[in-house]
Amino acid sequence: MNGPTLTPLARHRAARFSGLVAIVGAFALDQATKLSALAALGRGDIYAVLPIFNLRLSFNQGISFSLFTETFTERPVMLAGITLAVTALLGILLVRSTTRLEAVALGLIIGGALGNVVDRLRIGAVVDFLDFHVWGFHWPAFNLADSAIVIGAVALVATTFVGSASDTTSEEPSP
């Protein structure tokens, strides 16, 4: 026996609520871990956790992978403003989202972006502390906000390829 069937409006509200939970969760977890990293790590200190993973405090004044650092080093408010504008557009998409996966994906991106904006406004750079490496090659240090953004982007792309039966079935009986 199936559970109660949600109306389209109820599904839409549930999807938006899931997106809001993703925003709050990604933002709160990101900020909590960054504050912990700032309290526990000194700049340049390296703490080996696993053979391929260190905790290493660094500050990113550019965008992903420290791109455009020279452009934004003295302009953290400008980069924060650009990020907030894009985040507002993603918020509009979240309000319009019709599936839970899409809403959560957008929520993760928004929550991660807001976490990085807070860093830029508070200290002028994004706090990074997760350092993965193999055979002397280090992936650029990152944080949980970056992870939320990447996971959200992958999930958002997945929404174009993956649908659920409830997303594709019509509420109207077929003739």
Side-chain angles (χ1 to χ4, degrees):
M1 179 173 183
N2 292 335
T5 303
L6 296 176
T7 65
L9 179 59
R11 277 198 311 270
H12 182 67
R13 285 182 180 161
R16 286 189 300 186
F17 181 74
S18 298
L20 181 61
V21 169
I23 291 170
V24 172
F27 178 82
L29 192 57
D30 171 64
Q31 288 298 295
T33 57
K34 287 175 180 173
L35 289 173
S36 295
L38 286 168
L41 303 171
R43 190 175 195 147
D45 292 345
I46 298 173
Y47 293 96
V49 177
L50 297 171
I52 61 165
F53 174 63
N54 299 329
L55 294 176
R56 178 178 54 93
L57 185 63
S58 63
F59 299 92
N60 179 2
Q61 295 178 319
I63 59 173
S64 298
F65 307 113
S66 297
L67 295 172
F68 305 112
T69 298
E70 62 283 348
T71 304
F72 294 111
T73 295
E74 300 298 323
R75 299 178 183 103
V77 174
M78 176 203 240
L79 186 51
I82 293 168
T83 304
L84 286 173
V86 171
T87 302
L89 293 174
L90 292 173
I92 292 168
L93 293 176
L94 173 62
V95 169
R96 294 180 177 178
S97 64
T98 57
T99 68
R100 189 167 289 178
L101 178 59
E102 181 181 47
V104 168
L106 289 164
L108 288 172
I109 296 168
I110 292 167
L114 292 175
N116 285 341
V117 163
V118 166
D119 287 2
R120 289 190 196 288
L121 295 175
R122 186 170 42 101
I123 61 175
V126 172
V127 176
D128 289 327
F129 60 94
L130 302 173
D131 175 28
F132 284 90
H133 56 91
V134 177
W135 300 306
F137 171 77
H138 287 258
W139 186 259
F142 61 99
N143 56 52
L144 292 187
D146 300 333
S147 299
I149 292 167
V150 169
I151 291 167
V154 169
L156 194 57
V157 169
T159 64
T160 63
F161 299 108
V162 178
S164 69
S166 65
D167 295 338
T168 58
T169 57
S170 172
E171 292 297 317
E172 298 292 322
S174 54

